[in-house]
Amino acid sequence: MGGPKACLEEEFWVQGLKVAGVDEAGRGAWAGPIVVGAVILRPGRYPFRDSKLLRPKERERLAEEVRRVALAHALGVAEVGEVDRLGVLKATLLAAQRALDLLDPPPEALVTDYLQVATFLPLLAPPKADQKSPSVAAASILAKVHRDRLMEELDRLYPGYGFARHKGYGTPEHQRALQALGPSPVHRRRFSPVAQAPLRFPEGE
């Protein structure tokens, strides 16, 4: 029987490089910001997994563990207005760059979940990297936990949409709320389910 599979960072770690894992939360949501996490881990084995596979309490616990063991970690946010103005991909790249700019020490190589960030650093960006890289999984956990908290705050500011439950994603409950209430100021107007909903908030509010 073979040993554990090498993670994506391995080829960089053996060169002595500091590797940042990068992942986002909220890219496909109808409302709220996009949040990108960036995490540098020391070489080793870690229990971090794709945040989508974790229960909320487990994500919270592992987020604390990420912050405890990481050599560096940071979050970048693209607000709703930026998502509408730039589009989802460019807004995600902007949030990723903001997160990377905050890392101290700075990274010397990057692993992302299929996100082709503009960089002169060595870059691996395969699909499903959050299942093959503890650094990317750690970044996904930090991004998801932070964005969930932001959506819970938006639920208090704009009650009735169910943001605390569905976190801004497209669910039947969210669709019904859009039809009944119209888009809130934190809905992404470019998304067709939002654009087609009756407008009840004044534009720009």
Side-chain angles (χ1 to χ4, degrees):
M1 294 183 62
K5 291 183 179 178
C7 61
L8 292 174
E9 292 89 340
E10 203 76 46
E11 66 178 86
F12 297 137
W13 281 345
V14 298
Q15 299 174 57
L17 300 179
K18 297 181 182 70
V19 186
V22 179
D23 202 7
E24 55 77 26
R27 189 168 173 175
W30 295 354
I34 295 171
V35 177
V36 175
V39 175
I40 300 176
L41 297 175
R42 297 172 178 84
R45 301 295 173 190
Y46 296 92
F48 308 133
R49 296 190 297 149
D50 174 9
S51 64
K52 295 185 291 295
L53 305 177
L54 302 171
R55 295 181 182 276
K57 286 189 181 299
E58 192 176 7
R59 272 198 302 268
E60 292 275 355
R61 179 183 64 79
L62 287 173
E64 288 296 323
E65 181 69 4
V66 171
R67 289 188 281 267
R68 185 181 71 81
V69 303
L71 182 62
H73 59 86
L75 293 165
V77 177
E79 301 294 349
V80 172
E82 293 173 317
V83 179
D84 277 342
R85 186 173 74 253
L86 300 173
V88 170
L89 177 57
K90 288 184 178 179
T92 304
L93 292 169
L94 175 62
Q97 192 59 57
R98 286 169 174 166
L100 290 168
D101 288 345
L102 291 172
L103 288 176
D104 184 19
E108 298 165 333
L110 303 177
V111 180
T112 77
D113 189 17
Y114 208 55
L115 188 64
Q116 296 288 341
V117 297
T119 181
F120 293 108
L121 300 176
L123 169 67
L124 287 176
K128 299 184 178 179
D130 48 9
Q131 298 175 24
K132 308 166 190 172
S133 161
S135 304
V136 174
S140 79
I141 289 167
L142 291 190
K144 174 67 172 163
V145 167
H146 184 70
R147 187 177 185 279
D148 282 359
R149 290 173 180 169
L150 293 178
M151 295 309 298
E152 287 162 8
E153 178 60 28
L154 291 178
D155 187 62
R156 289 188 282 273
L157 293 174
Y158 302 101
Y161 293 97
F163 290 149
R165 291 184 293 278
H166 54 63
K167 305 302 189 289
Y169 287 91
T171 65
E173 175 193 11
H174 195 174
Q175 182 72 64
R176 289 191 296 271
L178 269 175
Q179 293 302 313
L181 302 174
S184 76
V186 294
H187 275 95
R188 301 176 187 176
R189 303 302 174 99
R190 278 191 176 208
F191 282 48
S192 58
V194 178
Q196 293 166 11
L199 186 64
R200 305 195 192 283
F201 280 89
E203 284 283 0
E205 184 175 318

